[in-house]
Amino acid sequence: MTGHTELAKRFGTPSYVYDLDRVAAAKRDLFAALPDEVDVFYAVKANPHPEIVREMGVAQERGGARRRGCRAEISSVGELTAVLDAGLDAAEVLYTGPGKTDEEIAEALARGVRLFSVESLGDLRHIGAVGVRLGVVADCLLRVNSVSASASTSIRMTGVPSQFGFDSETLPALRDELTGVAGTTVAGLHFFPLSNSADEPSLIAEFQHTIALAAQLQDELGVAFRFVDIGGGFAAPYAVIGERPVYGALRAALAESLDTHFPGWRDGGPRIACESGRYLVADSGTLLVGVVNLKESRGRRFVILDGGINSFGGMSGLGRILPVSVRPYETGAPHEQLASLVGPLCTPGDILGRDIELPALAPGDTVAIPNAGSYGVTASLLMFLGRPAPAEIVVRGPEVVSASRIQHTRDYELGRGL
């Protein structure tokens, strides 16, 4: 691969470098960890870059057999456009999210989307009303907010009051209302109980719990499900030094649990899917940032960069991913100081790490944040202070596939004629 220092000099900083070979490797590892019959949805919110999305849709060889690429899970018509522009099929898309408007639903249906995750009876009725108006029927997966869970660690996504999903204990009483919404069919269930599982046993236990609950709800609702999305939770280091895990026991454990609870699953009764974002793209990305200045204040050191939370992570600004790991690129210098890593914005919240170990740095150096391929540019405070978006450089081996930058523009067409 072209050296990061060379890329930083050529395209400037801050800049992201995405390695498509790493994306392909993550996809191979995830496919290998799952039974061959299980579909994989790529959560486009993790990284909607066109080259990344296109790579997700590419079929791969495994054990002499050809396995199709990832399907797309989206939450907006903007993401739908990115998916279609990358050449993926709208009929293979899952549209999710708690705030779908009638206009968004209509556009998605008009462009060929037929599978929706629904969060509530009201959400289902919105989709049905638009479907009736357009003369189409949408397959809907009832997203489930389970009353209980298996894993006690990781980031919990169920078991609490939430805008996401039907409370599992309420579904049986809603059966007649759910199955009677014109313009829709209840095709199955959608789960997403946790994110970034702490370890493989926790991940397996959560999937086993989900599969058992899905079978129970099928019996209680009296509906033969055609599709069950059992969610994700696959882990990956995020903005810190580390390796993405490889799951060796998951494949057999999933197959055993599905054989027990859904004996026809291997023949598509129901079709089973998982979903992933971070696992598939995190380790493909490196954020290169330039050191602008060094400063000491009342006994503390600060390294000031040309990119902060405007370049990496509105989530970082919320304290979700502090602290990051940083190393100088291609120098191998040891860690020599504790300092806070801060960006260029006029806010004390522009901090990527407080009192973290850093190498000896000087203005003009380039440092790198590893495992930054997910929740980067589009999860950042791009518009704040009007600073340019970071460059995004896509490589495959030694080749630079593309280099681009998101531009901020204002469209006055909305008010034309006032």
Side-chain angles (χ1 to χ4, degrees), residues 72-379:
E73 182 261 306
I74 64 170
S75 297
S76 71
V77 293
E79 288 187 342
L80 176 58
T81 296
V83 165
L84 298 184
D85 287 350
L88 278 66
D89 186 356
E92 295 291 302
V93 167
L94 172 62
Y95 200 119
T96 70
K100 310 176 198 73
T101 67
D102 288 352
E103 292 78 14
E104 291 167 342
I105 295 166
E107 182 172 347
L109 288 171
R111 300 177 77 177
V113 177
R114 291 295 180 270
L115 184 63
F116 292 80
S117 173
V118 297
E119 314 279 358
S120 64
L121 187 56
D123 193 19
L124 181 66
R125 286 170 173 162
H126 280 146
I127 294 170
V130 177
V132 168
R133 190 171 76 240
L134 297 180
V136 298
V137 176
D139 284 335
C140 293
L141 306 182
L142 308 178
R143 179 162 174 173
V144 178
N145 180 0
S146 174
V147 72
S148 60
S150 174
S152 58
T153 58
S154 314
I155 302 173
R156 298 287 338 148
M157 300 292 286
T158 57
V160 296
S162 174
Q163 70 269 43
F164 299 111
F166 292 83
D167 295 341
S168 58
E169 67 274 21
T170 69
L171 277 174
L174 295 173
R175 178 193 182 282
D176 291 343
E177 291 180 275
L178 293 169
T179 58
V181 177
T184 71
T185 58
V186 174
L189 301 177
H190 177 202
F191 295 83
F192 199 87
L194 82 165
S195 178
N196 208 29
S197 179
D199 50 48
E200 187 171 25
S202 296
L203 183 65
I204 289 172
E206 194 63 53
F207 276 136
Q208 290 170 333
H209 176 269
T210 293
I211 291 165
L213 177 58
Q216 175 188 327
L217 289 172
Q218 178 175 250
D219 291 341
E220 292 175 348
L221 289 170
V223 176
F225 295 148
R226 291 182 284 118
F227 203 104
V228 177
D229 182 341
I230 59 176
F234 308 104
Y238 185 31
V240 294
I241 296 169
E243 298 297 322
R244 174 176 46 77
V246 175
Y247 298 110
L250 179 59
R251 181 184 177 92
L254 273 182
E256 181 181 6
S257 185
L258 288 166
D259 284 340
T260 299
H261 296 285
F262 291 101
W265 72 279
R266 295 178 189 272
D267 299 314
R271 195 168 178 175
I272 304 297
C274 292
E275 59 192 83
S276 177
R278 182 198 320 249
Y279 185 89
L280 289 168
V281 292
D283 75 350
S284 72
T286 301
L287 174 60
L288 307 179
V289 282
V291 178
V292 175
N293 196 13
L294 305 178
K295 182 179 185 293
E296 289 201 15
S297 175
R298 293 178 176 150
R300 292 183 61 195
R301 295 178 176 179
F302 295 85
V303 176
I304 301 169
L305 306 173
D306 58 12
I309 58 175
N310 59 314
S311 299
F312 185 57
M315 295 182 187
S316 176
L318 296 174
R320 292 278 297 277
I321 61 171
L322 293 171
V324 300
S325 298
V326 170
R327 60 177 179 263
Y329 242 92
E330 299 165 359
T331 68
H335 289 150
E336 295 183 1
Q337 61 178 320
L338 287 179
S340 292
L341 203 63
V342 302
L345 304 183
C346 297
T347 169
D350 191 13
I351 300 173
L352 295 182
R354 292 185 179 91
D355 297 324
I356 62 176
E357 289 188 339
L358 293 171
L361 296 168
D365 284 348
T366 298
V367 296
I369 297 173
N371 292 312
S374 59
Y375 302 107
V377 176
T378 54

